[in-house]
């Protein structure tokens, strides 16, 4: 320098209010420093919501006063049996503040009634049979459930939601609700009828995975759709019906927006239950018309979840998120009329040198014309 830059005016406004990314800190634990690094990466692409998946079968990741063993015992391991970890309240506040300074709101998720083995292992009384199961370090899903008929379950939930709501300035609290395969349908509906008012009581708006639409979504609730091309017509219709009746949608179709899906058969990390998701596939869809029968204005936004069964390090996260995350972020920000794979891939390619400079370990997808290094 000094350099001269032409003056100008930028007129720009986001298409969607919710431009989210989810990080699963339960399957593998990520430290505050690692979460901050991911926040920095999200902020570059104007992502404005960080959904933290704070509890699952493998680990409970936030220390609460009312039920301390959730963190100290329930957070003591992770997939593969490593030491796990958890956030103190101060850690969590530091994440919330760091995110807010970069215009991201933290959306905490406590997944229930399934995905709760870490809690059930920590407190025997939460189990219908009064016996705590062992901690779990595998990657199966659908085997755990809170005990829907027991009163203590709701004392527990009230405490958990109260403490987390008090720590969270954002308006949303995610209650999970996916893959409750060990909860009967009637119990699931009864459970959600009891839990959603607790979220409201503590001043928050419910988000649930789209299975919530199979119960009675509360007024104002938001459903996060994670279906994919093989999701059955009845399940899609149930979500679309709910959307027509006022439930708003966050779209995270697993075969488009799931950052933990492998790019192709050679990807060393990730899963492939929803198929391979290459860079074009993750970008080349329209959230406004994606779910047939759901009104375009029911869509609150998009979100890219990053599940971490196979991911242990920041480099692992970056390899899966880059270059797909910026595509989901663009779907969240820019008008549909500007979306064009041919020009996008060139703009995306220009990000490569920036990521190199930042030490971001991205996947050199052959679909993108990266400049020579
Ligand atoms: C499904 S998506 C899950 C998670 C897994 C993920 C792996 C959702 C709401 N549930 O428990 O981690 O697949 O891709």
């Amino acid at each position: 320098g000094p350099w001269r830059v032409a003056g100008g005016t930028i007129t720009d406004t986001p298409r969607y209010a919710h431009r989210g990314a989810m990080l699963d800190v339960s399957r593998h634990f990520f430290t505050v420093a690692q979460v901050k690094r991911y926040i920095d990466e999200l902020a570059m692409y104007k992502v404005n919501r960080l959904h933290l998946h704070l509890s699952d079968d493998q680990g409970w990741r936030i220390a609460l006063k009312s039920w301390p063993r959730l963190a100290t015992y329930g957070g003591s391991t992770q997939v593969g049996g490593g030491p796990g970890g958890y956030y103190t309240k101060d850690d969590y506040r530091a994440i919330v503040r760091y995110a807010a300074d970069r215009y991201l709101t933290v959306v905490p998720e406590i997944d229930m009634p399934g995905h709760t083995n870490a809690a059930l292992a920590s407190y025997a009384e939460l189990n219908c049979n009064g016996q705590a199961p062992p901690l779990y370090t595998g990657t199966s899903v659908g085997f755990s459930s809170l005990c829907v008929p027991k009163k203590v379950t709701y004392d527990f939930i009230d405490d958990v939601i109260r403490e987390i709501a008090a720590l969270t300035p954002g308006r949303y609290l995610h209650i999970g609700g996916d893959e409750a395969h060990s909860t009967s349908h009637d119990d699931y509906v009864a459970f959600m009828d009891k839990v959603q008012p607790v979220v409201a009581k503590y001043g928050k708006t419910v988000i649930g995975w789209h299975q919530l639409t199979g119960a009675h979504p509360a007024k104002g609730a938001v459903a996060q759709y994670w279906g994919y091309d093989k999701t059955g017509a009845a399940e899609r219709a149930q979500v679309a019906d709910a959307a027509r009746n006022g439930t708003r949608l966050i779209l995270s179709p697993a075969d488009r927006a799931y950052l933990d899906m492998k790019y192709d058969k050679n990807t060393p990390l990730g899963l492939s239950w929803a198929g391979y998701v290459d860079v074009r596939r993750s970008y080349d869809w329209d959230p406004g018309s994606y779910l047939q029968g759901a009104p375009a204005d029911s869509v609150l936004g998009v979100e890219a979840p990053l599940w971490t069964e196979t991911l242990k390090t920041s480099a692992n996260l970056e390899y899966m998120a880059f270059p797909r995350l910026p595509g989901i972020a663009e779907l969240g920000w820019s008008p549909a009329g500007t979306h064009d794979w041919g020009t996008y891939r060139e703009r995306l390619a220009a990000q490569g040198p920036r990521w190199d400079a930042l030490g971001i370990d991205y996947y050199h997808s052959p679909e993108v014309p990266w400049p020579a290094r």
Side-chain angles (χ1 to χ4, degrees):
W3 298 332
R4 290 172 69 88
V5 178
T9 303
I10 295 171
T11 305
D12 195 12
T13 181
R15 182 180 186 189
Y16 292 116
H18 186 103
R19 304 181 303 278
M22 188 210 82
L23 182 62
D24 171 10
V25 296
S26 177
R27 271 51 176 274
H28 282 99
F29 180 66
F30 292 86
T31 63
V32 174
Q34 288 174 307
V35 175
K36 286 181 174 176
R37 181 175 168 96
Y38 199 50
I39 290 170
D40 284 335
E41 294 164 359
L42 299 175
M44 286 197 291
Y45 298 97
K46 297 183 282 199
V47 170
N48 70 341
R49 304 270 166 87
L50 173 65
H51 167 184
L52 285 177
H53 185 76
L54 289 169
S55 70
D56 211 303
D57 292 317
Q58 296 84 350
W60 184 285
R61 305 300 181 202
I62 180 141
L64 300 178
K65 266 221 169 68
S66 51
W67 298 75
R69 260 175 73 80
L70 292 171
T72 56
Y73 183 68
S76 65
T77 192
Q78 61 184 359
V79 167
Y86 61 85
Y87 307 123
T88 64
K89 287 195 176 185
D90 279 345
D91 289 341
Y92 180 84
R93 287 192 195 99
I95 291 170
V96 166
R97 203 176 323 115
Y98 193 87
D101 285 346
R102 287 153 187 79
Y103 306 101
L104 282 96
T105 301
V106 170
V107 178
E109 178 188 354
I110 298 296
D111 202 346
M112 53 185 131
H115 290 279
T116 44
N117 188 76
L120 296 167
S122 304
Y123 287 98
E125 64 264 42
L126 294 176
N127 295 268
C128 281
N129 67 4
Q131 281 173 26
L135 292 170
Y136 181 70
T137 60
T139 59
S140 295
V141 297
F143 60 88
S144 57
S145 180
L146 291 173
C147 186
V148 174
K150 267 193 174 176
K151 177 178 175 296
V152 65
T153 298
Y154 305 97
D155 297 339
F156 165 76
I157 288 168
D158 196 283
D159 287 335
V160 168
I161 291 178
R162 174 173 46 75
E163 288 199 52
I164 292 179
L167 286 173
T168 303
R171 91 166 95 132
Y172 295 106
L173 204 147
H174 201 309
I175 56 172
D178 58 314
E179 298 174 322
H181 306 319
S182 300
T183 317
S184 71
H185 176 70
D186 288 351
D187 273 2
Y188 183 84
V189 173
F191 179 85
M192 288 302 180
D193 282 347
K194 284 187 127 163
V195 170
Q196 292 180 96
V198 180
V199 177
K201 172 172 137 192
Y202 291 113
K204 301 297 177 189
T205 298
V206 166
I207 306 181
W209 295 106
H210 76 254
Q211 281 70 22
L212 179 64
T213 61
H216 308 120
K219 197 167 154 22
V222 177
Q224 184 169 5
Y225 183 73
W226 61 284
Y228 64 125
D229 279 1
K230 294 203 180 99
T231 295
E235 190 170 336
R236 287 160 185 272
Q238 174 191 289
V239 179
D241 281 350
R244 279 197 301 279
N245 288 318
T247 297
R248 288 164 306 157
L249 303 178
I250 294 170
L251 297 178
S252 301
D255 53 356
R256 305 276 186 179
Y258 267 33
L259 300 175
D260 66 314
M261 290 298 126
K262 290 177 184 287
Y263 295 94
D264 64 27
K265 66 174 186 339
N266 297 319
T267 310
L269 302 166
L271 306 175
S272 56
W273 62 263
Y276 302 126
V277 180
D278 64 22
V279 181
R280 178 170 188 166
R281 190 170 171 79
S282 68
Y283 171 78
D284 214 355
W285 58 287
D286 174 27
S289 57
Y290 178 77
L291 190 67
Q292 208 195 333
D297 66 1
S298 68
V299 178
L300 194 61
V302 292
E303 187 172 300
L306 188 43
W307 301 99
T308 59
E309 286 94 333
T310 66
L311 312 176
K312 302 180 189 165
T313 64
S314 285
N316 288 172
L317 300 181
E318 288 160 11
Y319 186 81
M320 300 309 278
F322 291 89
R324 290 179 292 195
L325 170 80
I328 302 298
E330 175 151 320
L331 294 182
W333 187 282
S334 303
T338 66
H339 295 156
D340 174 61
W341 166 250
T343 54
Y344 173 71
R345 62 199 276 275
E346 289 180 15
R347 289 185 291 114
L348 186 59
Q351 301 294 300
R354 292 178 161 82
W355 300 336
D356 286 330
L358 289 166
I360 293 177
D361 176 27
Y362 62 102
Y363 168 56
H364 274 246
S365 166
E367 305 162 83
V368 181
W370 309 108
R373 266 174 162 166

